[in-house]
Amino acid sequence: MAKKKTSIRDSVIAAAQQLRDDVDSLSFSEPVTHVYNPLRYAWKGHEAYLEHVNNKGVKVVFLGMNPGPWGMAQTGVPFGEIDSVKNWMGINVAVDHPENEHPKRPVEGFDCAKSEVSGRRLWGLFRERFKTADLFFKDHFVLNYCPLVFMEESARNRTPDKLPVAERESLNEVCDAHLQRLLQLLDPTYVVGVGAYAEGCLKRSLEAIHSEAKLSRILHPSPASPAANRDWAGTATKQLSEAGIWK
């Protein structure tokens, strides 16, 4: 009997399992005191999200930096604002706790009352434009470059670009390999960095695999950005239109 060919979806899930294990082997020093890996404790949510990927590949890949404390850290879904994940994607699963949980950043899963503003803006734009999750996922997918959440003793978030050089290089090696694998599997026509950091990660990975996908960037939806607080959806739509991605 001929061996069944592994589907794109199965390969994407296997790649995420590999990434989950690879980042767990890394170590980080102070001022980082707490590291959450939602691919471990929120795996059910992440796997349910990956089930949405089109088995024929996608036209557009969006890439974020790493999980936010009230989004992917709670749900396992990139930019995973709870209302969008639960009521638009139809994902609502049990979430465990990270091993070293910060008392100021509890993981409450889908019971978390806080809302991830970046995720609300990003998925809100997609909901407005595509109406149904199925229509969005037909041609699009959203990824995060790094799956880890880094926190200091005060519970302050520390982004991957602020890690010491040696730690950042070890993390990049693992995350680059995963991103390159997913770009090869999904074979997008367009890749979009959500912010400048993600754009740089995409540029590096596209060059490494000699991909001809067209690279562009949209403004990051973080409320920390004054520009994002002035009609972020309108700005992002204009940027995607100018890049030839949305008509």
Side-chain angles (χ1 to χ4, degrees), residues 46-210:
H46 190 68
E47 184 177 32
Y49 171 71
L50 297 181
E51 291 284 352
H52 282 285
V53 76
N54 190 331
N55 243 335
K56 297 177 181 177
V58 298
K59 178 182 172 186
V60 188
V61 165
F62 291 89
L63 185 75
M65 179 189 274
N66 75 314
W70 315 118
M72 186 172 176
Q74 303 293 333
T75 63
V77 176
F79 290 92
E81 191 254 345
I82 290 166
D83 179 66
S84 294
V85 176
K86 185 190 293 186
N87 297 318
W88 197 57
M89 300 178 208
I91 299 170
N92 187 2
V93 295
V95 175
D96 292 328
H97 292 272
E99 284 185 10
N100 182 23
E101 192 167 13
H102 198 296
K104 293 182 180 177
R105 291 289 182 269
V107 170
E108 300 170 306
F110 287 82
D111 294 324
C112 180
K114 291 183 180 287
S115 175
E116 182 79 60
V117 176
S118 294
R120 190 167 72 238
R121 288 175 173 170
L122 187 78
W123 289 111
L125 172 63
F126 299 153
R127 289 171 83 165
E128 178 67 27
R129 184 175 181 90
F130 293 94
K131 308 308 179 192
T132 70
D134 285 348
L135 280 177
F136 173 79
F137 287 116
K138 180 174 179 288
D139 287 321
H140 304 72
F141 208 63
V142 179
L143 306 169
N144 261 337
Y145 174 70
C146 167
L148 300 178
V149 184
F150 303 99
M151 281 169 283
E152 300 174 7
E153 188 63 52
S154 65
R156 181 186 175 193
N157 188 54
R158 178 163 282 256
T159 51
D161 57 319
K162 300 294 193 296
L163 295 171
V165 174
E167 292 178 8
R168 193 167 69 238
E169 288 177 347
S170 297
L171 180 67
N172 285 356
E173 185 177 345
V174 168
C175 295
D176 279 0
H178 177 258
L179 179 57
Q180 290 164 27
R181 175 66 176 142
L182 258 61
L183 291 173
Q184 289 171 323
L185 286 168
L186 299 176
D187 193 26
T189 305
Y190 301 95
V191 292
V192 182
V194 183
Y197 177 87
E199 181 188 30
C201 297
L202 282 166
K203 185 174 187 294
R204 195 166 61 239
S205 288
L206 290 173
E207 290 171 352
I209 62 173
H210 308 291

